[in-house]
Amino acid sequence: MSEFNLTYPIENNQQESKVIKSGELLFLVGANGAGKSTLMQKFASQNPGKVQRITAHRQVWFSSNTIDLTPATREQSEKNIINQDQQLAARWRDDYAAQRSQVTIFDLIDSENVEARKIAEAARARNMDEVERLASVQSPMAKLNDILKISNLDIRITVDQGSKLLAVRGNSPAYSIAELSDGERNAIIIIANILTAPGNTLILLDEPERHLHRSIVSPLISTLLAYREDCAFVISTHDVSLPLDQNK
């Protein structure tokens, strides 16, 4: 279990601190201009190397259904994003918005491939007990699709040849994830970010309701919290009902 220190300003130019632990959830609720994004940026800078910042309120897009990153460029992109998130300008500007989406999808596909390689290695070693054990563990892509279903989103995501990500709706033909709606893309990025975050991470989720209907965002958050009880969450929102939904 990890602890994260959150320091924030109060009256008379004083500072107050709160400690949040893995498995705990904190909501920041306020109107536009109340300072939520400023606080989220401060929390990111106060916990370097232990934070996953998800700017769900900003536009998310995929230029195609393929990943342009190599392992080396993925690592460099992550360094650039971490450095950006430490800067004060990160409150209103994101110079690496496209790279964030690419890194998230790269990590999702990579985690799926890692699971497949483990099973293949155990099978080659004729360790059938290990194959059975590994096969019984839900894969990252299966988790993502379960959360999409629970969140009332009627799409499934699959990995095709060449690590292409495709979406399937009902019995319709598969199509590129680049063609998904803003809300669907946003939901996938939120889920993938949280599922692939290292254990004992402070997850800062900024305004997840911006592109998602309440009937989607409430079960989505509840399910993600259940999947990642090893992480701490700070969620900023305009929706005063969102915190109440998590206590039902």
Side-chain angles (χ1 to χ4, degrees):
M1 178 181 291
S2 293
E3 295 184 350
F4 309 93
N5 185 66
L6 309 177
T7 300
Y8 49 91
I10 55 174
E11 294 179 338
N12 301 320
N13 295 320
Q14 299 297 307
Q15 298 285 318
E16 191 166 273
S17 293
K18 177 179 179 63
V19 172
I20 184 171
K21 301 177 182 179
S22 299
E24 294 183 343
L25 165 64
L26 175 68
F27 276 98
L28 300 178
V29 182
N32 294 93
K36 300 186 302 299
S37 293
T38 298
L39 276 180
M40 296 292 264
Q41 189 278 325
K42 285 182 180 294
F43 295 161
S45 63
Q46 290 165 7
N47 297 275
K50 300 184 292 183
V51 170
Q52 185 82 311
R53 184 169 177 242
I54 307 171
T55 53
H57 59 307
R58 292 176 178 158
Q59 184 65 41
V60 174
W61 71 90
F62 306 125
S63 57
S64 70
N65 59 355
T66 58
I67 302 302
D68 300 327
L69 299 179
T70 65
T73 56
R74 182 252 174 250
E75 185 176 349
Q76 184 58 53
S77 293
E78 182 180 46
K79 290 178 180 177
N80 293 338
I81 291 168
I82 291 173
N83 181 64
Q84 161 86 18
D85 286 346
Q86 307 307 308
Q87 308 303 313
L88 183 61
R91 180 181 68 81
W92 68 84
R93 190 179 75 207
D94 189 355
D95 296 330
Y96 298 100
Q99 288 89 336
R100 286 181 194 271
S101 299
Q102 286 276 308
V103 167
T104 300
I105 298 305
F106 181 100
D107 289 348
L108 178 66
I109 294 174
D110 187 57
S111 63
E112 188 80 3
N113 291 339
V114 167
E115 295 297 317
R117 287 195 295 270
K118 287 179 181 178
I119 293 174
E121 288 170 4
R124 282 193 291 268
R126 300 184 182 279
N127 187 346
M128 293 302 108
D129 289 341
E130 181 67 1
V131 169
E132 196 170 315
R133 185 190 71 80
L134 290 169
S136 68
V137 177
Q138 194 177 30
S139 71
M141 196 65 69
K143 291 178 183 177
L144 181 143
N145 285 320
D146 273 0
I147 296 170
L148 288 172
K149 183 177 180 179
I150 293 169
S151 303
N152 302 307
L153 285 166
D154 184 28
I155 53 171
R156 290 183 295 108
I157 306 301
T158 63
V159 182
D160 201 6
Q161 287 183 329
S163 294
K164 294 180 180 179
L165 279 186
L166 301 176
V168 179
R169 186 185 305 277
N171 296 320
S172 66
Y175 56 96
S176 168
I177 60 168
E179 300 174 34
L180 291 169
S181 72
D182 290 349
E184 290 168 334
R185 292 196 302 270
N186 206 53
I188 290 168
I189 287 296
I190 292 172
I191 296 168
N193 256 299
I194 293 175
L195 288 181
T196 59
N200 295 306
T201 292
L202 173 62
I203 294 176
L204 304 176
L205 180 53
D206 214 342
E207 298 180 15
E209 78 280 4
R210 181 64 68 90
H211 299 288
L212 296 170
H213 190 272
R214 187 169 171 228
S215 64
I216 295 171
V217 71
S218 288
L220 184 146
I221 289 175
S222 299
T223 310
L224 282 169
L225 292 173
Y227 269 97
R228 295 308 309 263
E229 293 181 336
D230 59 325
C231 293
F233 286 79
V234 178
I235 301 175
S236 75
T237 181
H238 299 107
D239 187 351
V240 295
S241 300
L242 195 56
L244 298 177
D245 290 343
Q246 309 312 310
N247 293 324
K248 291 179 180 179

